[in-house]
Amino acid sequence: MSNRRFQILFPAIFLTVLAGCGNNSPNHDAAAAKEASVPAAAHHTHWSYEGDTSPEHWAELDQLFTTCSTGSAQSPVNILHDKVKEDERLSPVKVEYSPSPVSIINNGHTIQVNISSKDNKLTVEGKTYLLQQFHFHLPSEHEVDGKHAEMELHLVHKSEDGSLAVLGVLIHSGSENTVLNKLWSALPAEESAEAIVVDGSFDPAGLLPADLHSFRYQGSLTTPPCTEGVQWIVLENPVTWSAEQIAKFAAIFPHDNRPVQPLGSREIGSDE
Ligand SMILES: [Zn+2]
């Protein structure tokens, strides 16, 4: 077996454990615990953003997806500026990302970039999470004052105790993000079970705005099984991509966003 072959295989195996927004969510542990009483095939239940398998139907597709309709702390949500509670106890999140080996995959739901190194940290309220993968939605999943951004980036992190924190970055059309081109030149148009290793390294910090002030709330995965207990951090400041960069994603996934969910009794805080 050549080195190259190993490089392709390894992320594929890694993916079956970590493919975040897909059926094989980072909350695999929770799903695996339930799996004991459910046929293994349930893990491969098809879901989508269109027609009979669209978000309105997710909970009907598989008993593992019930939370998608019965949950009370679901994501995404509409962030209303007037209702956000400035919380002096919240300090800005700390992001420590560095150039890392990555692989990229079209998992049928989005374009996902997997990170196998443990060098990318997010610290929220004194708790440290490691970056597992990041992926994209079009249009944005979160709304701000009832409006979608053109796209949204989700950076999915996991702590040592298995809990998840997702950093959301809204993407507006504007200046090109040249850092992105390294990934976008390897954009896989077709769904595949194998991730493609991106040459060299990629620094996820290049996808973030300089100002990391954020909205915070407790929510869920925005894809089946819609598991709750996810710490959400949505950055207040968007980044820009060129219309061409956005169009390149839209040509593969014309829309892959779950509609906003009721906020209920939850509060959205901000760290200002
Ligand atoms: Zn997502």
Side-chain angles (χ1 to χ4, degrees):
M1 185 187 288
S2 72
N3 255 350
R4 178 78 185 160
R5 174 92 179 121
F6 177 74
Q7 282 184 329
I8 291 172
L9 268 179
F10 175 72
I13 294 162
F14 189 65
L15 260 176
T16 59
V17 182
L18 287 175
C21 236
N23 292 342
N24 308 303
S25 81
N27 262 22
H28 187 82
D29 294 350
K34 284 189 189 173
E35 193 187 6
S37 57
V38 179
H43 269 283
H44 304 288
T45 303
H46 173 72
W47 58 269
S48 76
Y49 294 97
E50 303 282 357
D52 291 345
T53 54
S54 67
E56 301 71 49
H57 298 287
W58 286 350
E60 305 155 17
L61 302 174
D62 190 314
Q63 63 188 97
L64 289 177
F65 299 173
T66 308
T67 310
C68 300
S69 72
T70 62
S72 56
Q74 291 287 293
S75 294
V77 295
N78 178 18
I79 299 167
L80 292 169
H81 263 115
D82 284 354
K83 299 241 169 106
V84 171
K85 201 178 162 195
E86 284 187 22
D87 191 338
E88 59 190 20
R89 293 167 303 174
L90 297 178
S91 49
V93 296
K94 192 168 144 201
V95 174
E96 297 164 277
Y97 292 163
S98 57
S100 305
V102 299
S103 60
I104 188 166
I105 186 167
N106 174 336
N107 63 18
H109 305 296
T110 186
I111 298 293
Q112 182 169 305
V113 178
N114 296 304
I115 318 260
S116 49
S117 74
K118 296 187 177 348
D119 299 332
N120 297 284
K121 285 185 202 163
L122 171 72
T123 306
V124 190
E125 326 282 310
K127 188 166 178 173
T128 301
Y129 301 81
L130 296 182
L131 180 62
Q132 313 285 313
Q133 51 99 340
F134 57 88
H135 61 265
F136 308 91
H137 297 276
L138 185 151
S140 69
E141 295 208 298
H142 287 92
E143 294 177 15
V144 177
D145 293 332
K147 290 197 185 80
H148 287 281
E150 258 118 333
M151 286 184 66
E152 184 170 340
L153 160 66
H154 285 163
L155 299 121
V156 181
H157 307 74
K158 198 175 189 175
S159 69
E160 229 169 37
D161 66 12
S163 56
L164 296 176
V166 184
L167 183 62
V169 185
L170 299 169
I171 300 163
H172 290 189
S173 184
S175 310
E176 181 184 34
N177 178 332
T178 52
V179 171
L180 180 72
N181 291 338
K182 183 158 198 176
L183 300 177
W184 256 217
S185 61
L187 208 54
E190 302 296 330
E191 181 178 353
S192 166
E194 286 193 353
I196 302 158
V197 174
V198 177
D199 285 337
S201 59
F202 181 80
D203 188 350
L207 299 175
L208 304 180
D211 184 321
L212 297 181
H213 281 101
S214 63
F215 302 114
R216 317 274 184 87
Y217 77 97
Q218 294 296 320
S220 72
L221 299 179
T222 66
T223 56
C226 306
T227 313
E228 297 187 342
V230 175
Q231 170 68 58
W232 273 94
I233 302 118
V234 179
L235 297 187
E236 294 182 29
N237 291 281
V239 294
T240 64
W241 289 6
S242 69
E244 199 182 10
Q245 289 177 317
I246 293 170
K248 219 172 156 185
F249 182 88
I252 304 172
F253 294 102
H255 95 99
D256 65 342
N257 69 305
R258 183 190 197 194
V260 292
Q261 305 295 307
L263 189 60
S265 58
R266 289 176 289 173
E267 272 189 342
I268 301 178
S270 74
D271 56 16
E272 286 181 303

